[in-house]
Amino acid sequence: MFRNLGDYLSLLERSGELVHVADEVSAELEITALADAAFKSGGPALLFENVRDRDFPLVIGLYGTPERTARALGVRTLDELAEKVQRLLELKPAGGLAGALAMLPKLGELKGLFPRKVRRAPVQEVVLTGEAVNLGRLPVQTCWPGDGGPFFTLPQVITKDPETGEYNVGMYRMQVFGPRTTAMHWQLYKTGRKHFEKARALGRKLEVAVALGGDPVLAYAATAPLPELPGLYEYHLAGFLRGRPVELVKARTVDLWVPAEAEFVLEGYVDPAEPLVTEGPFGDHTGFYTPPSPYPLFHVTAITHRNNAVYPSTIVGPPPMEDAWLIEATERIFLPAVQLVLPEIRDYHMPPAGVAHNWVNVEIEKSYAGQGFKVASGLLGLGQMMSTKVVVVTSNAPPKPGFAALLAAVRHLRPERDVIFGKGPSDELDHAPLAVGFSGKLILDGTVKLAAEGGPAPEPGRPAPVRRPEMTAQHAWPGVLAVAVEKSRPGQVRELAAALAADPAVRLLLVADAGINVGDPDELMWWVLANLDPARDAWVEAGRTLVLDGTRKLPEEGARPWPEVARLDEETRARMAPLARRILGI
């Protein structure tokens, strides 16, 4: 593992996975243009040494490929993370002295679990307080043209429960408002929000520290959906993964312990007595802009940093982005724990096109009728999996790659019997539901059916080509038809679905907007699932065709204001194209 960010960058440099960019670039949009191109092409991490009007270099792409993410987390492949956790779960003491002695070598798995406190730290080589605090010196990115301003995108936000003293580290975006203030994007279900609400009830300010950098496993740990366990928090997970303790130092102006080897730490507070501030828009991991919303204001009372500090960043937006590989790391780490609750699960996968919460594939070892529905329902009750919109279950196909698993499910799917609709919590950033944070749910049981379930489904045929005036494109797979339509009025997709369902080969009909490449499964599934609320937009047509209406919804269809896709303007892309060709070869 790595002591700090510098160690990791040195490794990336030695392996040819880090490119230094000496050209002057702007933190407003220009870095996004180059980083997006690197992510989409599987390119290297980028170290921008000369960010216009800022005092520090910026690095982006630390987790830009599955292989690089595995390196960042100290393994050769992400699958090894599940093996590491599985070994931990096997630490069961046998009876007697001999059994205890036999277990001792395995306890090495836990040697890094507990953080270690130190008195001095590189992150406090420079300490700035009062008027010397100026967030404008940091190369905080404005990622997309419609963003409300610059945002911290890779922060480790550290808070302490005002009642119990339990720590939490979460990754919450932070919009910069001035030299000493940012928003704090604490969503409803997040632990940071719970700490804030407790501070409000107690009538006190909540101290906050924000770490940037350190061993790259620290930022990953801040994204991990850990259950709330007394005495354990995200830096315990980081220590377990890295095999040695995370070193913590006491912050200078707040009563919090922070990573000693970070690049920067912002110290300050939020005051629940203050009015909330309007944060956003922001081009989010969904690929769309999330609208302006009210959030707490973070006051920065101190900045500490290393000499020669490097600012770490990322961007999110239309997939694939590097957050896809952080999500896959979480899949691997939590697979053994999920299997403890649902032991029939062989594997599961959240395809990048589903941007974490829109789509989960799960493969099971099936032994009784209804087991597919049972497992899917169980998953929807596990932690942050509650936000999932679509669960696809198979019994004979690995869950990745994602679209291949969906096609395998359709082979065994008869929609009139093998689909369940429900409702439940959704991601607050999801724009498709009729209400914020509350969405329909869809379960597709694509397992091989037993006699009690009606027996196996017949092999699907390939849908025949169709001509309809509103259709701009179509593509077919066995049992699946995808169409793009020029949508102009409410009810149009239902009328189209009624016509297309006349072909008995169409078991699954996917409807997207004109301009979407329906022959590209990743683009198709991202668009359809992002614009889908199963409570409004999914139904079984003619008793045999499951329809997913992934078109943009009109106000007459009960939709909230529909957001735009987070895309760069052509002028910025054209301006940065020569540099992209030079440093990325594309």
Side-chain angles (χ1 to χ4, degrees):
M1 297 300 288
F2 310 96
R3 186 169 183 85
N4 50 44
L5 178 60
D7 282 356
Y8 181 53
L9 296 183
S10 295
L11 174 69
L12 294 184
E13 186 138 36
R14 291 194 301 272
S15 60
E17 292 185 78
L18 179 69
V19 170
H20 290 252
V21 182
D23 305 65
E24 183 184 73
V25 296
S26 172
E28 184 171 349
L29 305 184
E30 292 186 353
I31 290 175
T32 294
L34 299 168
D36 190 31
F39 296 156
K40 297 295 194 286
S41 63
L46 303 174
L47 179 59
F48 295 95
E49 299 172 335
N50 185 8
V51 183
R52 187 176 304 139
D53 299 327
R54 309 299 168 92
D55 294 346
F56 300 93
L58 177 150
V59 67
I60 196 167
L62 302 175
Y63 315 91
T65 65
E67 296 77 17
R68 199 177 308 143
T69 301
R71 283 191 170 197
L73 302 185
V75 291
R76 290 169 297 179
T77 69
L78 292 176
D79 285 331
E80 289 183 18
L81 293 169
E83 298 167 12
K84 188 178 181 75
V85 175
Q86 186 62 48
R87 290 196 300 271
L88 174 64
L89 296 177
E90 291 170 355
L91 289 177
K92 299 176 181 177
L97 178 61
L101 291 175
M103 193 179 71
L104 286 177
K106 296 183 179 181
L107 292 178
E109 298 284 347
L110 297 174
K111 64 183 178 182
L113 184 64
F114 295 98
R116 184 166 69 89
K117 294 178 178 179
V118 299
R119 293 185 176 181
R120 297 182 180 179
V123 76
Q124 294 177 346
E125 289 171 342
V126 178
V127 179
L128 304 170
T129 60
E131 295 297 316
V133 173
N134 182 5
L135 298 175
R137 297 178 59 216
L138 277 61
V140 185
Q141 286 180 259
T142 300
C143 300
W144 303 104
D147 282 356
F151 283 81
F152 288 92
T153 55
L154 207 59
Q156 304 159 46
V157 180
I158 303 164
T159 56
K160 189 166 55 174
D161 188 302
E163 294 178 334
T164 67
E166 296 285 349
Y167 271 73
N168 177 71
V169 185
M171 187 167 289
Y172 314 109
R173 75 191 194 212
M174 300 160 52
Q175 181 179 347
V176 177
F177 289 133
R180 287 175 287 280
T181 55
T182 79
M184 189 60 72
H185 193 266
W186 280 328
Q187 294 174 349
L188 181 61
Y189 310 124
K190 305 300 184 180
T191 305
R193 173 72 170 267
K194 294 179 183 178
H195 290 179
F196 173 74
E197 295 298 342
K198 284 189 176 185
R200 183 203 301 276
L202 294 169
R204 67 174 70 162
K205 296 177 181 178
L206 180 68
E207 293 185 322
V208 181
V210 179
L212 301 164
D215 183 335
V217 77
L218 301 187
Y220 163 71
T223 72
L226 282 183
E228 294 183 43
L229 299 172
L232 293 175
Y233 72 111
E234 287 75 12
Y235 287 157
H236 289 91
L237 173 63
F240 164 68
L241 292 174
R242 73 200 298 263
R244 66 173 180 231
V246 177
E247 292 188 348
L248 303 177
V249 68
K250 188 69 172 294
R252 290 299 186 93
T253 64
V254 294
D255 184 23
L256 293 168
W257 290 83
V258 300
E261 291 284 346
E263 298 291 303
F264 298 87
V265 169
L266 316 181
E267 302 177 7
Y269 65 90
V270 293
D271 185 352
E274 289 184 334
L276 300 178
V277 294
T278 300
E279 181 257 25
F282 179 68
D284 221 309
H285 73 283
T286 61
F288 294 77
Y289 287 103
T290 50
S293 300
Y295 284 97
L297 186 67
F298 174 47
H299 297 268
V300 184
T301 57
I303 298 178
T304 72
H305 64 83
R306 309 171 71 100
N307 292 323
N308 304 313
V310 175
Y311 173 81
S313 188
T314 189
I315 59 171
V316 290
M321 292 288 190
E322 65 180 329
D323 62 319
W325 317 127
L326 295 174
I327 292 165
E328 187 165 336
T330 292
E331 278 177 20
R332 300 302 93 194
I333 288 173
F334 286 91
L335 174 61
V338 170
Q339 289 170 325
L340 283 178
V341 181
L342 299 166
E344 59 265 70
I345 289 181
R346 289 175 179 159
D347 202 356
Y348 72 108
H349 178 53
M350 293 177 276
V355 297
H357 54 79
N358 286 345
W359 178 17
V360 174
N361 290 332
V362 56
E363 182 191 18
I364 67 170
E365 185 76 45
K366 183 171 179 176
S367 57
Y368 57 84
Q371 197 170 6
F373 290 139
K374 174 258 189 182
V375 169
S377 299
L379 277 177
L380 290 172
L382 290 179
Q384 291 190 21
M385 294 286 266
M386 67 180 178
S387 297
T388 303
K389 284 200 289 195
V390 177
V391 182
V392 178
V393 189
T394 64
S395 58
N396 64 337
K400 55 183 181 181
F403 195 71
L406 177 63
L407 293 180
V410 170
R411 284 186 60 199
H412 305 285
L413 187 75
R414 289 177 56 183
E416 69 275 16
R417 70 174 189 190
D418 300 331
V419 171
I420 287 181
F421 297 94
K423 292 183 180 180
S426 66
D427 193 306
E428 284 189 72
L429 304 179
D430 187 352
H431 63 267
L434 293 167
V436 176
F438 183 58
S439 172
K441 307 287 182 181
L442 175 62
I443 298 172
L444 280 67
D445 182 0
T447 61
V448 178
K449 301 305 182 300
L450 305 176
E453 299 169 302
E459 282 291 323
R462 185 179 291 270
V466 183
R467 291 188 178 275
R468 298 278 301 184
E470 66 267 53
M471 287 172 44
T472 61
Q474 61 184 292
H475 196 92
W477 298 266
V480 180
L481 177 63
V483 300
V485 301
E486 197 73 59
K487 184 172 176 178
S488 59
R489 55 185 172 79
Q492 183 178 359
V493 173
R494 286 192 175 265
E495 293 173 11
L496 176 65
L500 298 181
D503 183 348
V506 182
R507 294 186 187 174
L508 175 62
L509 175 62
L510 302 170
V511 187
D513 288 287
I516 298 301
N517 181 1
V518 294
D520 179 341
D522 292 331
E523 181 176 342
L524 169 68
M525 295 305 295
W526 163 61
W527 188 266
V528 168
L529 295 174
N531 293 314
L532 180 81
D533 180 351
R536 176 193 58 214
D537 308 322
W539 66 93
V540 176
E541 183 69 40
R544 64 176 175 228
T545 300
L546 175 63
V547 182
L548 301 186
D549 176 5
T551 61
R552 300 172 68 95
K553 303 306 178 299
L554 304 173
E556 299 91 329
E557 295 171 299
R560 294 181 283 146
W562 215 256
E564 295 298 322
V565 175
R567 290 193 177 102
L568 283 178
D569 58 284
E570 288 304 317
E571 192 278 330
T572 299
R573 287 192 181 279
R575 184 172 70 252
M576 302 308 294
L579 183 56
R581 285 193 293 270
R582 177 153 54 86
I583 66 174
L584 299 173
I586 56 176

